[in-house]
């Protein structure tokens, strides 16, 4: 390959890497937004569960019924409240299914990013343009870490949803 052709090739590769860095940087920002959303959801569901416990305890005292009889009481006397909690329980199960799909997506994305990380690490170590590949190595590692953290947060949310659904057992 002539010197001019080699320069053109390296220039093209550098542009491709720069484009990949921009694309992956945008992608990592989206993953960070998902991460923040998952943190808020986790806190929100934990707070909802806490409020649900108080509602049930207060209702048991106010209406002099056991926790097991509370759904029957509301169904007979305050049906709108009963229907709301039935729907909340159903929504918890549906959200859990959606979150399981998100976990599967994260697992696939981790696998794809591990392959990309391996490729760019090898390019970083073995090529004439290793300096240009280093940011991609860092970005892919950050993406993998974020996807794995998002999976953990999602599992925590699923646990919160199960607690809510279990607390509303009998409300169906």
């Amino acid at each position: 390959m002539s010197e001019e052709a080699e320069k053109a090739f390296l220039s093209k590769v550098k542009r491709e890497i720069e484009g990949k860095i921009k694309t992956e940087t945008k992608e990592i920002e989206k993953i960070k937004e998902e991460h923040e959303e998952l943190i808020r959801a986790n806190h929100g569901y934990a707070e909802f569960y806490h409020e649900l416990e108080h509602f049930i305890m207060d209702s048991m005292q106010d209406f002099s019924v056991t926790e097991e009889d509370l759904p029957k009481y509301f169904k007979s006397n305050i049906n709108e409240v009963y229907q709301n909690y039935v729907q909340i329980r159903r929504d918890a199960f549906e959200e859990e299914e959606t979150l399981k799909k998100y976990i599967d997506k994260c697992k696939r994305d981790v696998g794809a990013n591990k392959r990309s990380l391996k490729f760019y690490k090898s390019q970083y170590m073995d090529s004439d343009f290793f300096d240009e590949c280093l940011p991609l190595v860092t970005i892919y590692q950050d993406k993998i870490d974020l996807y794995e953290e998002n999976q953990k947060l999602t599992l925590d949310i699923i646990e919160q949803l199960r607690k809510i659904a279990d607390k509303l057992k009998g409300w169906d």
Side-chain angles (χ1 to χ4, degrees):
M1 187 182 298
S2 72
E3 187 176 322
E4 190 173 300
E6 188 174 326
K7 283 182 182 180
F9 172 76
L10 287 175
S11 178
K12 179 182 175 194
V13 169
K14 286 179 183 182
R15 280 193 310 276
E16 286 177 11
I17 291 172
E18 288 169 3
K20 192 77 166 162
I21 290 170
K22 285 180 185 178
T23 301
E24 294 301 325
T25 300
K26 287 179 186 176
E27 182 69 23
I28 206 165
E29 289 306 315
K30 286 174 38 181
I31 301 165
K32 286 179 181 178
E33 288 173 16
E34 288 174 359
H35 183 79
E36 293 302 316
E37 187 176 324
L38 290 168
I39 289 171
R40 287 189 301 275
N42 194 21
H43 290 300
Y45 285 125
E47 183 62 31
F48 179 81
Y49 179 77
H50 180 70
E51 291 173 11
L52 178 62
E53 283 184 313
H54 284 293
F55 169 77
I56 289 174
M57 295 301 287
D58 291 345
S59 296
M60 288 169 38
Q61 290 174 353
D62 291 346
F63 305 118
S64 301
V65 294
T66 64
E67 187 171 346
E68 294 79 28
D69 291 334
L70 202 56
K72 293 176 206 159
Y73 176 84
F74 276 101
K75 187 174 186 178
S76 297
N77 298 297
I78 312 172
N79 192 42
E80 184 178 335
V81 172
Y82 173 79
Q83 292 301 324
N84 286 340
Y85 282 100
V86 167
Q87 189 59 49
I88 288 169
R89 187 164 194 263
R90 287 181 188 147
D91 290 347
F93 288 126
E94 288 176 20
E95 183 68 11
E96 181 178 341
E97 290 305 311
T98 300
L99 292 172
K100 286 178 180 178
K101 291 176 185 172
Y102 176 74
I103 288 173
D104 291 341
K105 177 197 173 297
C106 285
K107 288 178 181 178
R108 285 189 306 275
D109 290 343
V110 164
N113 281 281
K114 281 184 177 180
R115 288 186 295 279
S116 295
L117 174 64
K118 183 178 178 181
F119 172 77
Y120 284 105
K121 253 186 186 177
S122 71
Q123 292 300 313
Y124 170 69
M125 297 175 157
D126 298 337
S127 72
D128 294 335
F129 48 95
F130 62 87
D131 287 336
E132 287 81 9
C133 291
L134 183 58
L136 282 172
V137 169
T138 304
I139 289 170
Y140 283 117
Q141 186 59 58
D142 289 348
K143 282 178 72 177
I144 291 166
D145 294 343
L146 272 170
Y147 277 126
E148 289 174 347
E149 182 62 28
N150 284 358
Q151 287 179 63
K152 290 176 190 170
L153 282 168
T154 304
L155 289 171
D156 290 345
I157 292 169
I158 289 172
E159 184 62 32
Q160 292 292 337
L161 290 167
R162 286 182 185 161
K163 284 174 56 178
I164 291 167
D166 288 347
K167 194 69 172 169
L168 292 172
K169 190 173 184 180
W171 294 75
D172 45 16

